[in-house]
């Protein structure tokens, strides 16, 4: 009598159909723009919101690509986008990018009051949605942010003190300290919570499985559950070199899948399928497979009788595996890595910057 296929295995097969990387990234930007449009009218008069492409995550070095939004009197909103005057030579915007900024609705530096050397835009609170969309497209299409998770934000009032705002999708908040020791206190508090809260939560059988998984991942990343990158599907995102790893929790049946879109835009060939089969047979856990034009890596963790150590092993295996495999497979079969060279500013042999794109 043939053994019955466990529901967990069927669910993993379904992942190939339901996981769409491009749609996931697009929806993350939509979530960011929606959250931003709701936030702008609520900013206190005289406050400003700073949105910055994280240079440590995107490899832009000392180039700071940022958009600042200010809340003025009578519901007026002003926005300012960094231009070439404050960018290093090799990271300056190309003519086509400047033209795209103008096409998005930005005015050249010096035209909008208060813009100075930046591009400017102004409108009323009733135009918050249009402004938010333009800001999101500027960060993504002009400055080259591959995902909102690579955007940091902080709001401050007229008195330069932090202003609390609702989360902006998967963008990451920056804690603004009010004194020289504020950062140290925040770091110690985060470390304490990492060492106590996540471990206790992972052991608490009364907590939902998703909360226990979140606690474990936060502990591994030495952060707090609130600061994890979580997209609109509830998947936790973890960057590992040029790869992106997601942690997804399923309730029925209880299952945690740790997976990564290793390559996209790759041509499925017999040689590719043979290679993936060979690599899967050599893997101690998990599997590699190709659907449509995407190569996936997946390591499942059963949710029944959940063990934190099993999830920790899966995350550690996947973050190392994905970052190694995407380079190896890309060199042999082409395609695109999640954070490949095309997702970062490209610099030729000279000092001129050749552009940024998703």
């Amino acid at each position: 009598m043939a053994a019955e296929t466990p529901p967990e295995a069927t669910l993993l097969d379904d992942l190939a159909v339901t996981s769409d990387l491009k749609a996931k990234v697009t929806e993350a930007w939509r979530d960011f723009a929606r959250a931003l449009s709701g936030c702008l009218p609520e900013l206190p008069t005289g406050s400003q919101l700073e949105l910055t492409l994280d240079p440590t995550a995107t490899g832009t070095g000392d180039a700071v690509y940022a958009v600042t939004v200010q809340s003025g009197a009578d519901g007026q909103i002003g926005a300012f986008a960094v231009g070439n005057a404050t960018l290093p030579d090799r990271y300056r915007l190309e003519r086509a990018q400047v033209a795209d900024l103008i096409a998005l609705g930005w005015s050249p530096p010096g035209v909008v009051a208060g813009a100075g050397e930046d591009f400017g835009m102004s409108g009323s609170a009733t135009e918050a949605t249009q402004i938010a969309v333009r800001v999101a497209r500027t960060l993504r299409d002009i400055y080259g942010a591959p995902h909102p998770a690579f955007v940091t934000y902080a709001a401050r009032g007229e008195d330069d003190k932090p202003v609390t705002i609702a989360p902006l999708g998967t963008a990451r908040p920056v804690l603004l300290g009010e004194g020289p020791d504020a950062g140290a206190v925040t770091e110690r508090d985060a470390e304490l919570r990492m060492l106590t809260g996540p471990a206790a939560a992972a052991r608490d059988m009364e907590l939902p499985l998703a909360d226990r998984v979140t606690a474990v991942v936060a502990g591994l990343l030495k952060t707090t559950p609130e600061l994890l990158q979580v997209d609109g599907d509830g998947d936790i995102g973890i960057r590992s070199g040029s790869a992106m790893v997601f942690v997804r929790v399923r309730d029925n049946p209880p299952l945690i899948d740790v997976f990564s879109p290793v390559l996209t835009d790759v041509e499925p060939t017999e040689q590719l399928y043979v290679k993936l089969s060979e690599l899967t047979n050599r893997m101690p856990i998990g599997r590699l497979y190709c659907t449509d034009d995407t190569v996936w890596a997946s390591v499942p963790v059963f949710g029944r009788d959940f063990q934190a150590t099993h999830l920790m092993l899966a995350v550690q295996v996947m973050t190392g595996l994905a970052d190694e495999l995407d380079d190896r497979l890309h060199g042999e079969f082409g395609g695109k890595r999640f954070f490949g060279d095309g997702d970062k500013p490209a610099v030729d042999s000279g000092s001129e910057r050749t552009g940024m794109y998703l």
Side-chain angles (χ1 to χ4, degrees):
M1 180 177 177
E4 182 180 354
T5 301
E8 290 88 349
T10 302
L11 189 58
L12 283 177
D13 291 335
D14 291 343
L15 181 64
V17 178
T18 59
S19 293
D20 186 332
L21 173 62
K22 295 177 182 177
K24 181 183 289 290
V25 173
T26 298
E27 187 58 32
W29 280 110
R30 288 174 179 166
D31 289 341
F32 171 78
R34 280 193 289 262
L36 183 59
S37 68
C39 165
L40 296 183
E42 303 297 326
L43 287 175
T45 300
S47 63
Q48 68 177 27
L49 173 64
E50 300 167 356
L51 302 150
T52 306
L53 181 60
D54 185 352
T56 63
T58 56
T60 54
D62 54 353
V64 178
Y65 298 95
V67 176
T68 300
V69 183
Q70 295 180 347
S71 177
D74 301 323
Q76 291 299 301
I77 299 174
F80 310 103
V82 165
N84 285 336
T86 55
L87 291 172
D89 289 345
R90 67 176 187 168
Y91 291 111
R92 288 181 176 175
L93 303 174
E94 299 173 351
R95 290 183 179 180
Q97 292 171 301
V98 172
D100 288 340
L101 278 173
I102 302 300
L104 278 176
W106 294 97
S107 297
V111 174
V112 175
E117 297 177 326
D118 295 337
F119 290 82
M121 179 188 304
S122 62
S124 65
T126 59
E127 299 172 289
T129 298
Q130 294 94 316
I131 294 174
V133 170
R134 290 168 180 171
V135 169
R137 290 189 59 186
T138 298
L139 292 167
R140 184 192 69 178
D141 300 334
I142 309 301
Y143 294 158
H147 192 282
F150 292 87
V151 175
T152 64
Y153 65 92
R156 65 182 79 223
E158 282 187 294
D159 55 4
D160 210 36
K161 291 185 178 180
V163 172
T164 301
I165 63 173
L168 300 180
T170 52
R172 296 181 287 120
V174 175
L175 301 178
L176 298 174
E178 296 183 21
D181 296 328
V185 173
T186 300
E187 184 177 350
R188 287 198 300 271
D189 180 65
E191 182 177 1
L192 178 63
R193 294 183 65 183
M194 177 199 69
L195 294 175
T196 56
R203 293 192 300 268
D204 190 345
M205 299 298 292
E206 295 182 359
L207 283 178
L209 178 61
D211 291 344
R212 298 165 68 194
V213 168
T214 298
V216 172
V217 176
L220 274 175
L221 300 182
K222 299 183 179 180
T223 186
T224 59
E226 296 82 3
L227 295 182
L228 290 176
Q229 300 173 17
V230 182
D231 64 19
D233 295 330
D235 298 341
I236 302 172
I238 306 169
R239 179 169 183 177
S240 178
S242 56
M244 191 71 167
V245 173
F246 296 98
V247 179
R248 171 176 294 178
V249 181
R250 304 278 193 173
D251 292 325
N252 188 23
L255 177 74
I256 306 101
D257 192 46
V258 184
F259 64 97
S260 174
V262 178
L263 282 181
T264 60
D265 289 351
V266 64
E267 181 180 356
T269 62
E270 181 178 353
Q271 291 82 1
L272 175 63
Y273 287 119
V274 170
K275 185 70 171 182
L276 296 181
S277 178
E278 292 175 350
L279 291 173
T280 297
N281 289 335
R282 289 158 51 187
M283 291 169 58
I285 56 174
R287 64 171 184 157
L288 292 166
Y289 57 96
C290 179
T291 59
D292 296 327
D293 64 351
T294 301
V295 173
W296 299 88
S298 173
V299 175
V301 177
F302 293 150
R304 295 192 184 96
D305 301 321
F306 173 72
Q307 299 293 321
T309 53
H310 295 174
L311 176 58
M312 293 169 66
L313 175 61
V315 172
Q316 290 168 344
V317 167
M318 183 58 68
T319 51
L321 180 70
D323 187 32
E324 177 184 353
L325 278 181
D326 67 348
D327 294 332
R328 182 189 304 182
L329 293 176
H330 176 265
E332 190 170 349
F333 299 101
K336 295 181 180 179
R337 293 163 290 180
F338 199 99
F339 300 111
D341 294 338
D343 297 324
K344 301 176 182 178
V347 181
D348 60 18
S349 57
S351 61
E352 183 180 356
R353 180 167 170 264
T354 60
M356 307 170 66
Y357 53 92
L358 288 178

